[in-house]
Structure formats: C-alpha cells, structure tokens
Amino acid sequence: MYTKKVIQLFKHPHNVGKIKNPDGLGKAGNPVCGDIMWIYIKIGKNKKGEETIKDIRFSTFGCAAAIATSSMVTDLAKGKTISEAKKITRKDVADELGGLPPVKFHCSNLAVDALHKAIQNYEKKKHK
Amino acid sequence: MKKVYLDNAATTPQDPEVVEAMLPYFKEHFGNPSSIHAFGQKAKEGIDKARKIIAKKIKANPDEIIFTSGGTEANNLALKGIAHTQKAKGNHIITSQIEHHSVLNTARQLEKEGFKVTYLKVDKEGLVDPKELEKAITKETILVSVMAANNEIGTIEPTRELAKVARSHKIYFHTDAVQAFCKIPFDVGWGIDLASFSAHKIHGPKGIGALYIKRGTKIQPRQVGGHQEFEKRAGTENVPAIVGFGKAVEIYNVDELRKIAELRDKLIEGVINKIPKVKLNGPKEKRLPNIANFSFLGVEGEALLMELDSKGIACSTGSACAAPTLEPSHVLQAIGITAIVAHSSLRMSLGKENSEEDIDYVLEILPQAVKNLRKISPF
C-alpha cells in the first residue's frame, strides 16, 4: 500500500525533534482524524540577504504516511527561501514520495499546512 | 526474521488436518450434492457430516444449520430475513453499539427501508446490560441482535440473560457468535433463535460460515434459486469449505484455550510492566481468552503496527489512520475512550500456534517500538 520511499522515511525520518525557541511553530491536524503535526523553524539569511529556513524539525503523532510526509516536507523546505517554501504544495510532497494511497492524501496536506503555519507564525511575530 | 502472528481475531491459519480433509472434495468427491448419482451423494455425505458436527457443538439439530459464505452473510440473512418476515408485526430492531460492521451496516440499511433501530449503549468494559435491553423493548420490537463476544476488545456478553429478556417478550433473539464460537461455552438452548458462525476464525477455511435458525422460525431467504439449505439459501454448496468447517470444529481443542489465555495474561502483564503510559482496553474478567487490546498513549496505532510488522509481528489497530473512513474504532468510542486514545490502540489476538518465546519476543520488540515512535510524537 505504501511506496518504498514512504516506508524508508517512516523507518528513518529526517529532521525529527523540536527546536528550542523556534522562530516559527506550526501545528496542523486534529485528534478526530488521527494525525497531529508540529513543525518548528529557525530562520537565517542567505548570501543575497534573503530570509531562509535555516533549520526545521517536526513532531508527529500519526501513521507511517503522516511521518513520511512530515519528513519529506522538512527536507523540501530546508535551506529554501521563505518565498520558495511558501510555494511547496501537497502535490510536491506526495510526488516526491512516489505517491500516497488516496485515503492518505490528507497527510501531505497536513504536512504542508504545518509548514505554512510555521512560516505565518514567524511572519506574525516579526511584524509585532 | 522471527515471525509472530497475533491477528487471530482477523483470521487464523488453516489447520493442516482441515486442509487434508478438504482435498478429496476438490478431487474425487467433486459431485454436486443435489445430484442423485453416487458422485453427488458422496459430496452430500461430506456436507451432512459437517452439519452434524456443527449442530452438536452448539446443541442444535442438523436441519437448523444453514451454510453461508461466512459470518457477514449469516448476519445479513438473520437481520434482513427476520425483519422482512416480521414486518407486519412491528418495525423495531434492537442491537448494540459495538456490533461488527456486518450487523451495524445491515441495521443501517434496514433503517433506510423504514425500520427503527435502537443501538444499545455498553459500559466501559463493553457489556450490554440486560436491564437496558428490557427498557428498550417496545410493542413494535421484532428482533434483538447482540453479539456473543466482541472482536476488538474481547468482551463476553451476557448472552443467556439477554436471550431470556427477548424470549420473555416473544421477540426473536439473534447473536453474532463469530468470535465466541468454540472459545466459550455456547448453547442455543439458552433461548437463541438465530446465531452466526464463521470457519476461518477457528482454523477452518475462508468463505464459509453458518447461520443457526431455530426450527419453526420463518425467515425470508436473501438468495433464491434451487432448494439447497432447506430453501433458506440457494446455490450449489461450497462442499470442500463446508467439509473443512466441520473438521475445524471437530478437532478444535478447548484445552489449548487455557494455554492461550496464559500467554495472553503474560503478554498483558509484560506490556503493563515494561511500557509506561499504556492502557488496557476492555474488560478485565469477562474477556475472550485470545484477545488483548492496548492503547499506547502518544503513539498512533497504524505507525506502531507498521513498526512491529517490520520486525515480523502482526497485529491490528482501531486507529482511524488504518480505516478507510478515517474514523477511529466505534467499539473503543462506545466504551468511552477518546478519539486520540482510540488512535493509539493495538489489538493482539493470540492463537494455538503462539508460544512463550513468541510473547518474549514481542515483549522485547514492543517497548522499543513504542519508545521510537514516542520520540517522534509531540505528546
């Protein structure tokens, strides 16, 4: 039911854990559907002076697909500029994983939501 | 890699003796049991013998056993068959909130046809209270259907008492005995009018089950055609499967249940002692000997299932993630467990093939698997 990539990332997820005093924290999911994802980001700057996602970590309560999508979205966002990270879609995540079972597609949505919420959270703090 | 199968409530491996008994009915005894010639009569003998064995096991008469394609068909036939026959007398059916989907979805379909259905609540151990049944009965009630034992948490229902209540009101009583069959005492003399059974939960083949229908019970068939199964279920019989079903019942060894219960208790004790923040779901006492259901807080059930599967351990979960509907187990919700705890559930159902070493292996692997997933979890 799952692709090799999904299983591989489920078994050995990247960027697991929390960031102390993160610049942004995004939470997605709800206990009724089962999956809950938290994404932490730390912002830095590249040579051009653009803001980038310097570090990113996740905590997920969820199935193998939820864990694999969390891992994939953190890999996709890491090192990207904020405007690039905002453009990451659920399709990007699912495609990179070689596809997801239809019933698990919402997991990729959650992962992208959590990332976008973390960026929003950062931007909100910055403008305070 | 070591393999430990702990999903016997889903299905069981077929006993080699069962397979052996079936083989001649694929080959030399291939006749149609409805045929008058020797080929047909040989096949019919096989069916008759199986019917007798199953009838004896539940203290019924052979002509009260109707073979079906499994437990699901038996439940469909029982509920729809009685509802459609008794329509003139009333339109109310009583069942419980923790039934198998083959009962619940049949009841829902009957609701669409205009029947009214009461879904009895259960207590935190999953027990249906006979007093609640008494209260739910109306002049319109035509059928009560409560399972003999639950497939997810193993609760053994007070079938005898529930049947007594139904009988005192002259209402038909059906029980889904798929999980209970052979594992706990069961006697249709308790006042049971209909009961569903399945072969593959007791080391028999898949695709075969039975419905006990008490003599004199009028039931509208679901499937019409020839005269098979006392005109209650048309279609050429699945002879090899029926023979296998009979053999599985014949050789079922109740002494092994004691060993299974001991292993299950060792498992429960080990899990509770070795793993923090774990909850045992379901009853402490009135539980089938083979089922244990846990919730590992902070860990999602399907992820844990996959982690264990990669180590050769097979079990099942009530998590929404594992359900096509993305709804957590209705059984766990009915016993008052919150959605998030239900998502963390894992059912381990043992069988006669399991050994002490199997349980030791699970107790070695499981704590680490839970620990790994908790590291990823925000809770």
Side-chain angles (χ1 to χ4, degrees):
Chain A
M1 76 191 242
Y2 289 129
T3 62
K4 272 187 189 156
K5 189 76 194 161
V6 171
I7 300 287
Q8 191 193 332
L9 285 179
F10 162 62
K11 296 293 292 175
H12 305 285
H14 307 156
N15 309 311
V16 172
K18 294 168 185 169
I19 295 176
K20 266 192 185 172
N21 307 316
D23 293 325
L25 169 61
K27 296 181 182 181
N30 71 71
V32 177
C33 93
D35 297 325
I36 295 167
M37 297 181 190
W38 293 10
I39 286 186
Y40 304 76
I41 53 171
K42 201 84 188 165
I43 303 296
K45 274 194 177 139
N46 64 12
K47 284 174 190 161
K48 291 185 203 162
E50 296 164 319
E51 283 184 318
T52 60
I53 298 189
K54 197 173 123 197
D55 196 10
I56 181 163
R57 303 268 153 184
F58 79 89
S59 293
T60 290
F61 170 90
C63 61
I67 291 168
T69 53
S70 308
S71 173
M72 183 52 77
V73 85
T74 57
D75 275 344
L76 288 176
K78 201 168 184 174
K80 294 256 164 68
T81 65
I82 285 189
S83 57
E84 282 167 341
K86 278 182 181 170
K87 284 181 199 144
I88 295 170
T89 64
R90 61 187 273 181
K91 194 174 174 299
D92 296 335
V93 174
D95 288 351
E96 286 291 327
L97 290 168
L100 282 168
V103 70
K104 299 290 184 178
F105 220 74
H106 72 113
C107 295
S108 56
N109 217 11
L110 283 180
V112 170
D113 270 2
L115 170 68
H116 293 171
K117 281 182 177 173
I119 295 170
Q120 272 170 23
N121 177 247
Y122 163 68
E123 290 181 329
K124 217 170 154 186
K125 278 197 227 167
K126 204 173 86 173
H127 292 300
K128 255 187 185 166
Chain B
M1 185 172 56
K2 189 172 169 64
K3 285 205 185 295
V4 180
Y5 184 75
L6 292 178
D7 204 10
N8 287 275
T11 195
T12 54
Q14 280 174 59
D15 197 294
E17 248 187 276
V18 168
V19 178
E20 207 52 47
M22 288 168 73
L23 289 176
Y25 291 86
F26 288 108
K27 297 189 254 178
E28 57 267 36
H29 309 324
F30 63 87
N32 185 326
S34 295
S35 302
I36 294 163
H37 50 62
F39 292 90
Q41 290 311 298
K42 194 71 199 169
K44 190 170 184 298
E45 270 172 36
I47 294 184
D48 288 346
K49 189 181 169 202
R51 204 187 301 280
K52 268 186 206 152
I53 293 166
I54 295 161
K56 195 176 162 210
K57 187 81 180 173
I58 59 168
K59 302 193 174 68
N61 301 299
D63 61 334
E64 294 174 314
I65 303 297
I66 308 302
F67 288 113
T68 65
S69 62
T72 292
E73 190 195 327
N75 285 335
N76 270 264
L77 176 57
L79 269 71
K80 290 176 190 166
I82 292 295
H84 293 154
T85 318
Q86 299 295 314
K87 214 159 41 181
K89 286 191 187 159
N91 70 342
H92 182 229
I93 296 162
I94 301 172
T95 184
S96 86
Q97 289 184 349
I98 63 164
E99 298 298 312
H100 187 266
H101 282 120
S102 56
V103 166
L104 287 180
N105 288 337
T106 302
R108 282 180 198 131
Q109 207 176 48
L110 289 168
E111 278 186 281
K112 281 185 192 149
E113 289 180 22
F115 288 92
K116 291 198 170 68
V117 180
T118 300
Y119 300 90
L120 293 174
K121 285 186 180 156
V122 294
D123 68 10
K124 63 182 195 318
E125 297 204 321
L127 287 160
V128 174
D129 185 347
K131 285 191 206 113
E132 291 296 316
L133 171 59
E134 181 80 54
K135 275 192 232 161
I137 290 172
T138 71
K139 278 183 189 156
E140 294 290 314
T141 311
I142 49 172
L143 173 68
V144 174
S145 176
V146 177
M147 67 197 337
N150 183 266
N151 49 312
E152 288 188 37
I153 52 175
T155 307
I156 298 170
E157 298 297 343
T159 305
R160 198 191 298 228
E161 288 75 16
L162 294 167
K164 211 169 148 187
V165 173
R167 173 129 316 176
S168 71
H169 291 271
K170 298 198 172 71
I171 296 165
Y172 283 113
F173 184 81
H174 166 253
T175 186
D176 171 358
V178 165
Q179 293 289 340
F181 189 41
C182 293
K183 299 192 184 90
I184 52 172
F186 187 84
D187 183 340
V188 294
W190 293 344
I192 292 162
D193 300 301
L194 306 109
S196 304
F197 306 98
S198 168
H200 75 99
K201 311 287 189 189
I202 53 161
H203 307 281
K206 290 168 188 64
I208 194 74
L211 181 66
Y212 158 79
I213 306 175
K214 191 181 163 68
R215 275 183 188 165
T217 306
K218 282 199 188 104
I219 191 158
Q220 188 181 313
R222 298 292 307 149
Q223 186 166 309
V224 293
H227 301 288
Q228 295 91 349
E229 299 302 295
F230 315 103
E231 309 218 3
K232 292 184 174 87
R233 202 268 190 183
T236 300
E237 300 86 341
N238 185 352
V239 182
I242 290 172
V243 169
F245 188 6
K247 184 52 100 178
V249 174
E250 187 186 346
I251 64 172
Y252 197 91
N253 183 356
V254 285
D255 294 335
E256 272 165 355
L257 291 168
R258 203 174 305 120
K259 185 195 100 183
I260 292 171
E262 277 168 20
L263 290 179
R264 178 207 55 190
D265 292 343
K266 178 186 162 94
L267 173 71
I268 293 176
E269 211 187 297
V271 165
I272 287 171
N273 289 336
K274 287 191 168 193
I275 304 174
K277 290 195 277 181
V278 58
K279 190 177 173 303
L280 179 67
N281 298 320
K284 286 197 176 60
E285 304 288 328
K286 289 172 184 149
R287 178 194 284 272
L288 285 177
N290 60 328
I291 294 181
N293 190 311
F294 305 99
S295 280
F296 300 93
L297 307 185
V299 176
E300 192 280 321
E302 196 212 85
L304 185 55
L305 186 153
M306 299 268 308
E307 183 84 16
L308 293 174
D309 187 40
S310 73
K311 305 277 186 202
I313 300 169
C315 41
S316 114
T317 173
S319 168
C321 290
T325 53
L326 296 178
E327 285 264 348
S329 148
H330 66 285
V331 175
L332 296 177
Q333 291 192 82
I335 61 171
I337 287 174
T338 59
I340 193 118
V341 177
H343 289 310
S344 303
S345 71
L346 196 76
R347 178 187 71 183
M348 296 182 146
S349 47
L350 290 76
K352 62 178 178 175
E353 286 81 7
N354 292 130
S355 63
E356 289 259 348
E357 292 74 43
D358 287 352
I359 304 303
D360 289 335
Y361 179 68
V362 172
L363 291 174
E364 177 196 323
I365 299 296
L366 183 59
Q368 194 55 46
V370 170
K371 213 172 164 186
N372 291 346
L373 288 166
R374 277 185 179 152
K375 267 189 216 151
I376 304 176
S377 173
F379 315 117

